Amino acid sequence: MERVAQTFTGLLSCGQRFRTQQIDIQMNASNSAEAPQAGEGEASDENEARGNWTGQFDFLLSCIGYAVGLGNVWRFPYLCYKNGGGAFLIPYLIMLGVAALPLFYMEVAFGQFGNLGPVTIWKACPLLKGTGWAMVSISALVSIYYNVIIAWALFYLFASFNSKVPWADCNNYWNDFHCRDLSVNTTNATHNVPGNLRAGFNPNPEACSQDLKTNCTQYQTPSEQYFERVMLGYTSLNGAIKKMSDPIGRPQWHVTLCLLLAWIIIYACLLKGVKTSGKVVYFTATFPYLVLVILLIRGATLEGAKEGIIFYLKPDFSLLLTSEIWSAAAVQIFYSLGVAFGCLTTMSSYNKFRNNCYKDALIVAGINSGTSIFAGFAIFSVIGFMAHKTGLPVAEVTKSGPGLAFVAYPEGLAAMPIAPLWSVLFFIMILTLGVDSQFAMVETVLTACMDEWPWLQENFTKQAIFKSVVCLVMFLLGIPMCCPGGIYYFSMLNDYCAYYNLFVVALVEMLGISYLYGIKNFLNDIQMMLGFRPGPYWIACWLGITPALILFIAIFSLVKYQSPSYNSEPFTIWGEAMCWLMMVGSVLFIPCCGIYEVWRRGGLTAALKETPDWGPPVEAFWLESDKYREKLKQMNTPAKDGVTAGVENQVASTVDPYVTG
């Protein structure tokens, strides 16, 4: 019996040695023959479970469309003139290089390596899984109000298909004596409001100003009254203004239907995932540039355009010595590139493993900043024309945010010959700029959920139902912003759902990858993908420079905090509390999920350690790294203890088919 036992033990030992040799032989053969090479398989998917972009330009244009959004058109030009004109470009470009671009590159590389959404990607460090959920919650909140802007653009687009745009003058049923068309000068004994033939006699025709606050009239432009009275319903036809403490009112049917249409468009484009949206962006990401060129050419031929452009770029270098200009530049480029929303991780997760994400990051950042500067010329040429026509200083006709896109710029377009044509082009541009960013944010929410719960993407029917439910819920949550008092809720989301919380998430993400996952591991992963390691500049930014700047932005913004308001009307106490609840609520995902992961995995050490199945999306690529090759060997070696056997066997089930052939 003893001899039989020895013989049996010897056979097992030989079998184990043969098994190990077989694994090594298959690894070497697969490494040379089966690993997809750069540029191969453009038409096929490397990751068959999740899919990939059909072509390289799908991802590049999607990133450009996401980064180049409404802020490039309605925020950057305003910040530029307000913060020293051309001098603002100096801190802006510096902050691009040391704050936003390093984080952009890190997110894109991280997502491409793991081929996972912003939540599941934290298999690299389960303790920080809540960072992904924080990103998803921010993107979800932004998606709710962002589609309201798209609905506004649709409403204005439909209204522009007319012989005359409806905000061209004050001779409409919604206008009163507060409306004043400054481009027209008509006064007589019974009519003393310039440009308003419906107003009747105004006993106080003098316009209010900083010096004159009584016995005067606070005039509005035709476009301003159209925006507030017709589109928003914020101001009633008798001039009563909604306050936040007032009842919100009933949804306005015209805005609600446009919001429904906006969500139908988003759903249709995302129904088949990146295969559909990756083709839509070929139009939506490029068309705005065509419109900007057309508007710039048209604007440059108008009287006053030169003054507007000079006002936009005239440098004031003395402001470089103030902290405000550096903070404004950092915040603008941070938001403009769209870091820490989870969208970059999501989009790059559909890349093929060999895609040169380093080059893509540089291209997207360059195009994004160039578009912001270029858009300023197109915007301020028309603003200069408007100032010339009304006789007002450029500063008095310039606005930021929705006020520029739906009040100031339409006012300038209305004064042009063939105004409906320019209006149609402009609002199609606003629509396409918004839709691209919306694609990315909604896709982030969808991808995160489907990666966490794979049964949601088992077949097309389940995917379609899940996506329709998400879009329907977001549509319903957006309806309050279609009410007369909804502008307060819009301002609440627009200003605070992605503010201090975004800085915290970005800081945790960068420190987590650099120090908890490990900068050495991250650099090795990039070398494995791209064939080269990032240089000392990127390492210095990731380890210290960029986190320090993010912390500076967050602290400076907190010091400059002001209670929220809209149109000088302060929010109620509960309104301000809701703003803080949104910001704190998303950040709370980080500690709460971290505590859960520590409990679930039996300790802090286990929660800090990457999971056994963390690695490239295609098993063939594991063989190119000593680290991941060793993980494969371990997953094909019988577990030595019962505690880890379940995990190793579960992971091995996804790897065994490849190893055994």
Side-chain angles (χ1 to χ4, degrees):
M1 288 296 291
E2 182 179 352
R3 181 173 297 178
V4 172
Q6 291 176 350
T7 302
F8 183 71
T9 303
L11 289 173
L12 284 178
S13 177
C14 290
Q16 182 62 40
R17 286 198 300 271
F18 176 77
R19 169 65 172 165
T20 303
Q21 292 173 357
Q22 184 185 39
I23 292 174
D24 288 337
I25 292 172
Q26 291 183 358
M27 283 181 177
N28 293 332
S30 301
N31 193 25
S32 60
E34 294 188 25
Q37 301 299 314
E40 288 185 1
E42 286 294 321
S44 60
D45 290 338
E46 283 180 355
N47 191 335
E48 295 182 359
R50 296 178 81 252
N52 298 106
W53 298 104
T54 304
Q56 180 181 356
F57 283 105
D58 293 17
F59 169 70
L60 187 60
L61 288 175
S62 294
C63 278
I64 292 173
Y66 166 65
V68 179
L70 296 172
N72 298 73
V73 174
W74 74 22
R75 180 172 168 81
F76 176 84
Y78 175 82
L79 285 177
C80 192
Y81 102 80
K82 186 179 179 182
N83 291 279
F88 180 72
L89 298 180
I90 296 174
Y92 177 79
L93 295 176
I94 291 175
M95 289 298 178
L96 167 65
V98 297
L101 183 55
L103 186 54
F104 187 97
Y105 180 25
M106 173 178 272
E107 286 194 10
V108 170
F110 194 47
Q112 180 172 307
F113 182 82
N115 250 206
L116 296 167
V119 176
T120 316
I121 195 76
W122 289 103
K123 288 180 178 182
C125 181
L127 182 70
L128 297 182
K129 194 171 185 178
T131 308
W133 284 119
M135 293 177 176
V136 172
S137 66
I138 293 173
S139 288
L141 289 171
V142 174
S143 298
I144 294 170
Y145 86 82
Y146 211 79
N147 233 22
V148 175
I149 300 175
I150 296 175
W152 294 351
L154 285 169
F155 177 72
Y156 269 76
L157 176 62
F158 297 148
S160 300
F161 285 101
N162 211 323
S163 58
K164 184 180 73 171
V165 292
W167 56 87
D169 53 46
C170 293
N171 302 316
N172 305 285
Y173 71 87
W174 57 82
N175 299 128
D176 62 7
F177 67 85
H178 292 92
C179 183
R180 185 178 184 182
D181 186 354
L182 297 176
S183 63
V184 179
N185 186 17
T186 57
T187 57
N188 54 47
T190 59
H191 171 76
N192 61 347
V193 181
N196 190 337
L197 301 178
R198 298 175 58 88
F201 184 76
N202 181 6
N204 299 305
E206 192 83 22
C208 294
S209 63
Q210 291 184 346
D211 300 325
L212 181 64
K213 298 184 181 297
T214 58
N215 297 323
C216 60
T217 298
Q218 187 67 51
Y219 287 111
Q220 294 178 302
T221 62
S223 61
E224 194 171 1
Q225 287 208 336
Y226 185 79
F227 179 67
E228 291 189 354
R229 298 181 176 219
V230 179
M231 217 273 297
L232 294 180
Y234 165 71
T235 305
S236 64
L237 297 184
N238 62 9
I241 297 176
K242 276 279 184 181
K243 295 185 178 181
M244 197 172 193
S245 56
D246 296 336
I248 190 173
R250 295 180 179 179
Q252 299 194 103
W253 67 268
H254 53 278
V255 184
T256 306
L257 289 179
C258 288
L259 180 62
L260 177 61
L261 177 59
W263 276 112
I264 291 174
I265 293 172
I266 298 300
Y267 175 72
C269 293
L270 294 179
L271 183 58
K272 294 186 177 180
V274 296
K275 299 297 184 185
T276 305
S277 62
K279 297 307 177 188
V280 174
V281 294
Y282 278 81
F283 169 74
T284 57
T286 56
F287 184 77
Y289 291 97
L290 175 62
V291 177
L292 282 175
V293 170
I294 293 174
L295 291 176
L296 176 59
I297 294 173
R298 180 68 185 101
T301 63
L302 298 171
E303 291 183 283
K306 180 180 177 181
E307 286 70 22
I309 293 174
I310 291 175
F311 184 82
Y312 165 51
L313 288 179
K314 185 179 180 181
D316 183 0
F317 293 106
S318 65
L319 291 178
L320 292 175
L321 300 177
T322 65
S323 58
E324 284 80 2
I325 187 174
W326 292 90
S327 175
V331 171
Q332 172 59 20
I333 191 60
F334 196 85
Y335 282 114
S336 184
L337 277 180
V339 293
F341 285 87
C343 302
L344 297 173
T345 303
T346 298
M347 291 188 290
S348 63
S349 73
Y350 293 102
N351 277 341
K352 294 185 177 181
F353 192 71
R354 299 297 191 195
N355 178 66
N356 192 339
C357 57
Y358 172 70
K359 180 182 70 175
D360 290 343
L362 296 179
I363 291 174
V364 173
I367 291 178
N368 175 68
S369 299
T371 302
S372 296
I373 298 170
F374 179 74
F377 287 95
I379 296 298
F380 271 87
S381 61
V382 176
I383 295 296
F385 162 71
M386 185 178 171
H388 173 79
K389 193 170 181 64
T390 59
L392 294 173
V394 176
E396 292 191 21
V397 295
T398 305
K399 295 179 181 292
S400 177
L404 175 63
F406 297 101
V407 178
Y409 206 80
E411 187 78 18
L413 296 175
M416 292 184 187
I418 325 176
L421 172 63
W422 308 116
S423 183
V424 166
L425 288 174
F426 176 74
F427 285 110
I428 291 179
M429 181 187 74
I430 295 295
L431 178 63
T432 52
L433 285 172
V435 163
D436 283 338
S437 300
Q438 186 73 346
F439 284 163
M441 289 183 289
V442 177
E443 185 63 54
T444 296
V445 178
L446 298 175
T447 296
C449 295
M450 290 190 293
D451 281 350
E452 279 295 287
W453 301 289
W455 60 270
L456 291 172
Q457 53 182 336
E458 286 178 350
N459 53 60
F460 178 75
T461 302
K462 287 186 177 180
Q463 288 188 41
I465 294 174
F466 170 64
K467 292 177 181 180
S468 65
V469 170
V470 171
C471 290
L472 177 61
V473 170
M474 289 187 172
F475 163 69
L476 295 175
L477 291 174
I479 289 180
M481 285 176 276
C482 300
C483 300
I487 189 62
Y488 290 104
Y489 298 92
F490 173 86
S491 298
M492 186 188 303
L493 287 165
N494 183 38
D495 296 338
Y496 290 95
C497 75
Y499 194 16
Y500 303 120
N501 49 347
L502 198 66
F503 301 140
V504 174
V505 170
L507 188 63
V508 172
E509 177 190 28
M510 180 159 278
L511 293 177
I513 295 175
S514 298
Y515 291 98
L516 298 185
Y517 177 59
I519 191 66
K520 183 178 179 180
N521 286 330
F522 185 57
L523 295 177
N524 290 337
D525 292 345
I526 294 178
Q527 184 174 23
M528 189 176 168
M529 283 192 304
L530 306 182
F532 60 87
R533 291 167 71 89
Y537 169 77
W538 299 105
I539 297 173
C541 286
W542 290 332
L543 289 177
I545 297 175
T546 304
L549 282 172
I550 294 173
L551 188 61
F552 159 74
I553 298 170
I555 294 175
F556 187 85
S557 300
L558 192 60
V559 170
K560 294 291 184 178
Y561 171 79
Q562 294 180 343
S563 297
S565 63
Y566 174 76
N567 205 15
S568 300
E569 179 66 30
F571 281 21
T572 58
I573 295 177
W574 68 263
E576 186 169 4
M578 285 294 295
C579 294
W580 281 100
L581 182 62
M582 284 190 296
M583 291 188 288
V584 175
S586 56
V587 172
L588 283 178
F589 277 108
I590 299 175
C592 291
C593 291
I595 293 171
Y596 172 73
E597 290 296 329
V598 170
W599 170 80
R600 178 187 172 208
R601 297 175 186 277
L604 179 62
T605 302
L608 286 168
K609 186 179 180 181
E610 63 186 64
T611 62
D613 58 340
W614 163 252
V618 180
E619 294 162 12
F621 293 122
W622 288 52
L623 309 172
E624 300 177 5
S625 163
D626 292 338
K627 169 187 172 182
Y628 294 103
R629 187 188 298 117
E630 185 62 28
K631 288 178 73 173
L632 268 183
K633 284 186 178 181
Q634 292 175 0
M635 288 189 291
N636 284 278
T637 301
K640 296 181 180 180
D641 57 82
V643 176
T644 59
V647 175
E648 290 183 353
N649 290 337
Q650 179 183 2
V651 175
S653 67
T654 64
V655 181
D656 277 345
Y658 168 73
V659 176
T660 59

